[in-house]
Amino acid sequence: MQNYFEKRNRTFLSFKKIRKARPAILYNDGNVLTCKKCKNTFARSSWKKRNYICPHCGYYMPMPYKERIDMILDKGTFIERYKDLETDNPLDFKGYGAKLEKAEGSCKAKDGVITGSGEIFGRKVLIAIMDTSFMMASMGIVAGEKITRITEDAIEEKCPLILYAASGGARMQEGMFSLMQMAKTSGAMGRLREANGLCITFLTHPTTGGVSASFASLGDYIFAEPSALIGFAGPRVIEQTIGEKLPKGFQRAAFQEEHGFVDDITERDDQREVLRKLLNVHKEIG
Ligand SMILES: [Zn+2]
């Protein structure tokens, strides 16, 4: 019996080692993806089918921009605009070129903002989607320019603008040029409002820094995905600055809805329907 237990324990220990290592190994496999919260692994096709919501714990994983396009727009209607805009490293920031190359490889885009036109239940819309797989969708010259251009297109074409915001903040490698994008994009949003345009914004996890403090909070309707972190400075920075513990759930979507920063929280599965209904009550714009 003693031998049995010793053998069993040894076997179980080696099993635990394999189990622990499994997600890390499989995470890099293109065919499977591990939930960041519960660490369960599922085939990429299951994630796609469930709009990147964990089948086990309901966690909202970051959603690649291509899948968001498929989730929101009528099939095959997306036409990308300003695809080839890329930064020229204005400050000659050391190592920035290599970082950009890596980000382009994982995001399959030249910056973390993807812009274009498409249709929702047959209604033409312009859309900008931020993808955190490109340097946390930080806002630099290219992001600012693309957001500004697509907003100006919305004015000119009298077309609703849909924004999917996400960002870790300003692109530090572009210094002041990056911060200027806050004023530039806010100006464009102001012109859209003057022209009686329509902007519907979805704040996704995380929407922080210069993006949250500029165009992302200037839409006519502001929705948020469940549990998204939305704020300017992160909770840890605020705690260290004011020397106090923050309340539970601070800066999460529900907190921001309660405090009036967000109009409503919408599940991914509902967003296309929410857009259809909201666009219907705004038949005429511009
Ligand atoms: Zn999970």
Side-chain angles (χ1 to χ4, degrees):
M1 202 55 158
Q2 184 70 18
N3 276 352
Y4 167 78
F5 278 118
E6 272 175 16
K7 195 179 165 204
R8 179 200 164 279
N9 287 352
R10 268 202 313 274
T11 316
F12 193 69
L13 272 177
S14 35
F15 159 72
K16 268 171 86 176
K17 265 187 206 160
I18 299 167
R19 194 178 66 157
K20 240 185 163 179
R22 205 170 147 238
I25 294 164
L26 291 177
Y27 193 81
N28 298 323
D29 184 325
N31 297 321
V32 292
L33 196 60
T34 302
C35 172
K36 283 188 177 175
K37 193 176 176 193
C38 73
K39 310 290 180 212
N40 276 297
T41 298
F42 304 97
R44 201 168 271 271
S45 53
S46 322
W47 283 105
K48 276 188 189 177
K49 238 181 262 164
R50 290 171 172 264
N51 290 330
Y52 286 76
I53 301 166
C54 176
H56 182 72
C57 73
Y59 180 74
Y60 271 48
M61 285 280 272
M63 198 169 183
Y65 76 89
K66 280 188 182 148
E67 265 84 44
R68 265 199 203 281
I69 288 169
D70 291 346
M71 181 180 87
I72 296 303
L73 299 180
D74 298 350
K75 207 171 173 223
T77 58
F78 181 69
I79 301 165
E80 192 169 353
R81 297 185 184 181
Y82 316 121
K83 189 180 175 182
D84 294 324
L85 287 185
E86 56 186 323
T87 179
D88 57 358
N89 192 2
L91 300 179
D92 251 339
F93 197 96
K94 210 175 156 206
Y96 187 25
K99 270 208 163 136
L100 288 166
E101 232 170 77
K102 201 175 158 204
E104 191 177 337
S106 52
C107 183
K108 312 280 181 281
K110 288 186 172 168
D111 203 83
V113 183
I114 287 83
T115 45
S117 66
E119 289 177 14
I120 296 176
F121 291 94
R123 171 97 182 256
K124 185 188 164 191
V125 294
L126 293 172
I127 190 163
I129 296 174
M130 303 183 84
D131 188 323
T132 51
S133 68
F134 195 106
M135 296 181 76
M136 276 312 290
S138 51
M139 179 162 70
I141 299 168
V142 174
E145 180 66 19
K146 281 176 128 177
I147 294 287
T148 303
R149 283 194 194 183
I150 205 74
T151 308
E152 286 171 344
D153 289 350
I155 299 169
E156 198 164 308
E157 296 168 33
K158 296 192 188 324
C159 192
L161 175 64
I162 317 291
L163 287 179
Y164 270 85
S167 184
R171 177 84 50 90
M172 65 160 196
Q173 289 85 348
E174 294 184 9
M176 191 51 83
F177 291 108
S178 164
L179 295 182
M180 280 163 57
Q181 308 309 315
M182 291 171 70
K184 183 170 153 175
T185 53
S186 299
M189 293 296 285
R191 290 194 293 282
L192 179 70
R193 184 154 297 178
E194 275 167 25
N196 290 320
L198 173 67
C199 174
I200 303 169
T201 306
F202 289 85
L203 305 177
T204 70
H205 180 72
T207 300
T208 58
V211 166
S212 75
S214 62
F215 69 90
S217 53
L218 295 172
D220 297 292
Y221 300 99
I222 299 180
F223 294 94
E225 291 197 333
S227 321
L229 180 74
I230 300 154
F232 185 59
R236 245 177 310 167
V237 174
I238 298 175
E239 274 185 356
Q240 280 164 10
T241 310
I242 64 170
E244 274 177 41
K245 200 101 188 93
L246 293 166
K248 202 170 180 280
F250 180 72
Q251 288 182 326
R252 292 286 163 180
F255 181 93
Q256 299 294 24
E257 187 199 10
E258 209 175 293
H259 290 80
F261 190 82
V262 162
D263 290 309
D264 207 358
I265 296 174
T266 55
E267 303 273 348
R268 280 182 187 156
D269 301 351
D270 291 337
Q271 288 169 9
R272 189 170 141 83
E273 191 54 27
V274 162
L275 282 169
R276 183 181 74 84
K277 287 180 180 156
L278 202 46
L279 289 172
N280 267 345
V281 295
H282 280 277
K283 282 208 171 87
E284 296 294 322
I285 62 159

